[in-house]
Every structure is written in structure tokens, then in C-alpha cells.
Amino acid sequence: MTEDELEQAVRETFARRVAVAHPLAADPAGLAIRRADRARRRRTVAGLALAAVTAVGISTGIAQLGQQPGRPTHPTVVLGDPYASPLPNLTPTLPVAPPTDPAQGAGRGEVDLILGTVLATTSGQRLTLPDVGPAERAQRLPDGAGWAVVGAPTAAGQALWVVQPHGAVHLLLAGARDIALSRDGRQVAWREGGELVAAGIVGIQVVAAARTPVPAGAVPVGFAGDAVLVRLDADRPGHTLWRPAQGPLKSGGDRATVRVYGTRPDGVVVAQVSAGTPRRLCLALLDPTRDLAPAQTGCGPTLGDDGRGGVSADGRWLLANGRVGGEDRALLVDLDRLGATRAVRPAGPPVHGPVAWTPEGTAYYSDARAGLVRVDVSRVLAGEESSGAPVSGLGDGQRPIPVGRAGS
């Protein structure tokens, strides 16, 4: 088989397996071929033959993945190449600072921002990400390894990318559903057909994947330590924990948890639960060692039913949507004082999108007008509320996406 025939065979195989109504921003076939081309340039004639065999093996493996019983029509593609280089047309790092508004304190170098297809970093870099596509959320990876970027849901599923500090972009997952990342950025879980998959992230590769069958409506929503936090059904309360090292998923006894905001550093889950008489949404701290049994519950704040919010890096604070005096607001909740009279304070306009906390205890999020809101805990405790600061460089319908650091 000639090299041209081999390339055409690889492209046709990928096209049959991952073609969808709305094409992915990534081109897995082209990516695989470009990597094979680079390998051929680096190796001798013997290396050429080995690269050809490897390319055929990758194509055959993905074809078999799509043919296995219980797999989705459009299988998840797991990619990772320790020799990958920046994708074509990637704009290199530029020494341009992210937009700022000194009056509001936005963009003071505390968090990175995704502005459309640009990643503006705290060090003043602007990395253009033409192949990543619309992002839903992102977080920094540990040890300065870069950023993990989760794509917005599409008919083809979601994608997971790693952006390295020097600007190289690597596609780790394509066609996955409901991607969840751990606080430290070292673990990832996703839904694939009738299974839940959990794996580690090492460098620019997804490794050591484990699988378990799950009910039709079950999706991963986060991690509590090494356990995957799973919502059993989108239409009914109830969550459980899957510990891959202990075997398949078990339903568990929790039938009260409605939504999850996140976890504290010790693995305790911060969630909305249905409690009280009459039933209402309350805040609860769930113990992962006792099948998510509530360790503490507070029904003081009026919580929003969208579940938007985030837990601070130290686990002390929750910023979440709710209502105060009949008005929708973002609320700052002291999780160490659930149930106390002054444990909840209005902090700013309602949250739209992800909340990113800094290790120093400052929160960032976007509001309904695509402004960037900076919430300083000390000022909120002093009675001040934050407002959104305008951010330049955004297209119509886009919002700034603040990027949390590993562990936040």
C-alpha cells in the first residue's frame, strides 16, 4: 500500500466513525496523519514501516470500538501523543495583557480568562486557540502544565483539550458526553453510551481508563477525592459515588441531593438537597464516607434552582445564585457556619457560567450582560456588593470564562 493510499484509508475510517450533523472543530484523521508524517521525517526506512503499521492499528482499533455492543453510534475518540507539536495556524504567545477595569478590579492578574478563542493569562500572554472552538469551562493544570479546556456541548458531544504554556494545543477527548474534571485536574470522567468512564490525565494523555455500566440518565458531575460523583437521573434527586477500584457503580442510598456545587478539599460534597417541611431547597455538606449522608444542613438562604455556583479553594465559602428580598442575586455563604443568621450575604449580580476562585479567596464569574464580576470576600462581609466590569474582545453572545487554578 502506498503512503497516499494509507492516508486515504485512515481519513475514510475516521469519517465513517465520527461524522456528525455538526462537525467537530478537531480533525482526528488529519491529526493522526500529520503525526505519522512527522514520525516518518524523524525515522529511518525501518521507522517508516513501523509508522505505517501503527497508523493502520489506530484505524482498526477505532473501527472495532464503534462495532462493540453497547457503544454509541459516534464513539468517543481518545487521543494523546507525547510527541505532538502545535497545530497548524496556532498563534504564538504574544506579550499583550488581558483587558482590565481598575475601577472594578477585574483582570488584576488573579485569574486567566478565555475570551472567545483567546486565552488571556495572568502573566499578560494571549494565546489564540483557533482549533478549540467554543469553550464551556477551563481550569489550570497542576505543576504549571497548562490548562484543561472543556468544549461546549454539541450534537457530537464534548471535547477535552490541553493547552500547554508554550501554546501547543492537544485534543484528549472528542465526542464524549458530560465531561467532569477533578479539583486538581488529574482525573477526568465522562459518559460514553451505556457506560461511565474514568481516567487519569498525565501530561497530554488520558491514561488508565476504567468503565462501569450506568442507568440511562446517569452522568458524572465531579469528583470527591478519587471517587466519581454521579447524578443518577436529571429529572429526580439522587447522587452516588463510583469508586473504580472497588468495581461497578452501585446506586447508593441518596435520594435527596438535587444539585452539586463542588467539593471541599477533604472530599465533603457541597450540594443542594430537598429537605424540610414543606420540602424546599437547602444547603448540605455530604459525607463521602457514608454514602453522601448529610453531615450538616442549612435551610436559611433561598437558593436558585439553576445550581450555578462554586466552592472556594479552601472550602470555606460558597458563591451561588439565590434570592434576597425578592431579587435574584449571587450569595456568599459561609460553609463553616451553616444555619447561622449572618452566614449568607448578597455578593453581586446573578452568576452566569462557571465560578473561578483564587487561592487567596477571591471569586470571578460573568454576569447576564457579559461583564466580569470580582467578589472580594472581605468587602462582602463589610456590606459591599460587586458589579460587573465590561470586558473587550468578545463577540456577540460571548461571555468571559474565568479559569480556576488546580485545586480550586
Side-chain angles (χ1 to χ4, degrees), residues 193-367:
E195 294 181 319
L196 189 65
V197 188
I201 299 176
V202 178
I204 55 173
Q205 298 192 68
V206 174
V207 300
R211 298 172 177 271
T212 183
V214 291
V219 295
V221 295
F223 284 81
D226 291 330
V228 183
L229 187 59
V230 182
R231 185 180 65 203
L232 295 172
D233 191 318
D235 298 324
R236 287 177 290 187
H239 288 66
T240 190
L241 292 172
W242 172 44
R243 296 177 172 83
Q246 297 180 12
L249 175 74
K250 297 179 181 179
S251 294
D254 170 52
R255 289 295 182 270
T257 304
V258 180
R259 293 174 186 86
V260 170
Y261 290 113
T263 58
R264 305 179 88 175
D266 58 2
V268 169
V269 178
V270 182
Q272 284 184 358
V273 297
S274 178
T277 304
R279 307 296 283 182
R280 58 177 296 189
L281 292 178
C282 299
L283 275 178
L285 304 180
L286 310 180
D287 187 346
T289 66
R290 297 191 296 125
D291 294 328
L292 300 179
Q296 192 173 357
T297 302
C299 294
T302 301
L303 300 173
D305 59 6
D306 56 16
R308 288 175 177 159
V311 180
S312 64
D314 62 3
R316 170 75 182 271
W317 306 99
L318 168 68
L319 189 70
N321 281 344
R323 292 180 68 83
V324 176
E327 183 180 3
D328 292 334
R329 306 299 291 166
L331 306 179
L332 182 68
V333 183
D334 187 343
L335 296 176
D336 286 349
R337 301 175 62 222
L338 275 186
T341 303
R342 300 291 289 171
V344 181
R345 298 171 186 260
V351 174
H352 286 260
V355 175
W357 283 88
T358 70
E360 295 74 28
T362 302
Y364 284 85
Y365 65 92
S366 63
D367 62 17

Side-chain angles (χ1 to χ4, degrees), residues 6-8 10-11 14 28-38 40:
L6 176 60
E7 291 183 359
Q8 184 61 31
V10 173
R11 286 188 182 277
F14 274 100
L31 187 60
I33 291 169
R34 290 196 297 274
R35 292 171 179 171
D37 286 340
R38 289 195 298 272
R40 283 195 292 269

Side-chain angles (χ1 to χ4, degrees), residues 125-181:
Q125 299 173 328
R126 290 175 69 91
L127 303 177
T128 302
L129 312 174
D131 295 291
V132 169
E136 179 184 62
R137 63 189 187 278
Q139 67 184 64
R140 271 190 175 270
L141 294 171
D143 305 321
W147 302 263
V149 181
V150 179
T154 69
Q158 288 182 289
L160 174 64
W161 305 79
V162 164
V163 181
Q164 293 183 297
H166 59 277
V169 181
H170 305 268
L171 176 64
L172 268 63
L173 296 175
R177 283 185 51 204
D178 299 288
I179 295 174
L181 293 170

Side-chain angles (χ1 to χ4, degrees), residues 28-179:
L31 187 60
I33 291 169
R34 290 196 297 274
R35 292 171 179 171
D37 286 340
R38 289 195 298 272
R40 283 195 292 269
R41 288 195 297 269
R42 291 194 299 263
R43 296 185 177 109
T44 61
V45 175
L48 284 171
L50 178 59
V53 171
T54 302
V56 173
I58 293 172
S59 174
T60 304
I62 291 178
Q64 292 173 347
L65 177 64
Q67 294 168 356
Q68 292 180 16
R71 300 288 182 186
T73 303
H74 309 296
T76 301
V77 179
V78 183
L79 301 172
D81 180 359
Y83 301 106
S85 60
L87 297 179
N89 303 319
L90 182 68
T91 302
T93 298
L94 300 177
V96 180
T100 64
D101 184 345
Q104 299 297 335
R108 288 180 176 173
E110 293 178 305
V111 293
D112 305 319
L113 296 173
I114 292 183
L115 308 173
T117 58
V118 173
L119 173 61
T121 74
T122 57
S123 62
Q125 299 173 328
R126 290 175 69 91
L127 303 177
T128 302
L129 312 174
D131 295 291
V132 169
E136 179 184 62
R137 63 189 187 278
Q139 67 184 64
R140 271 190 175 270
L141 294 171
D143 305 321
W147 302 263
V149 181
V150 179
T154 69
Q158 288 182 289
L160 174 64
W161 305 79
V162 164
V163 181
Q164 293 183 297
H166 59 277
V169 181
H170 305 268
L171 176 64
L172 268 63
L173 296 175
R177 283 185 51 204
D178 299 288
I179 295 174

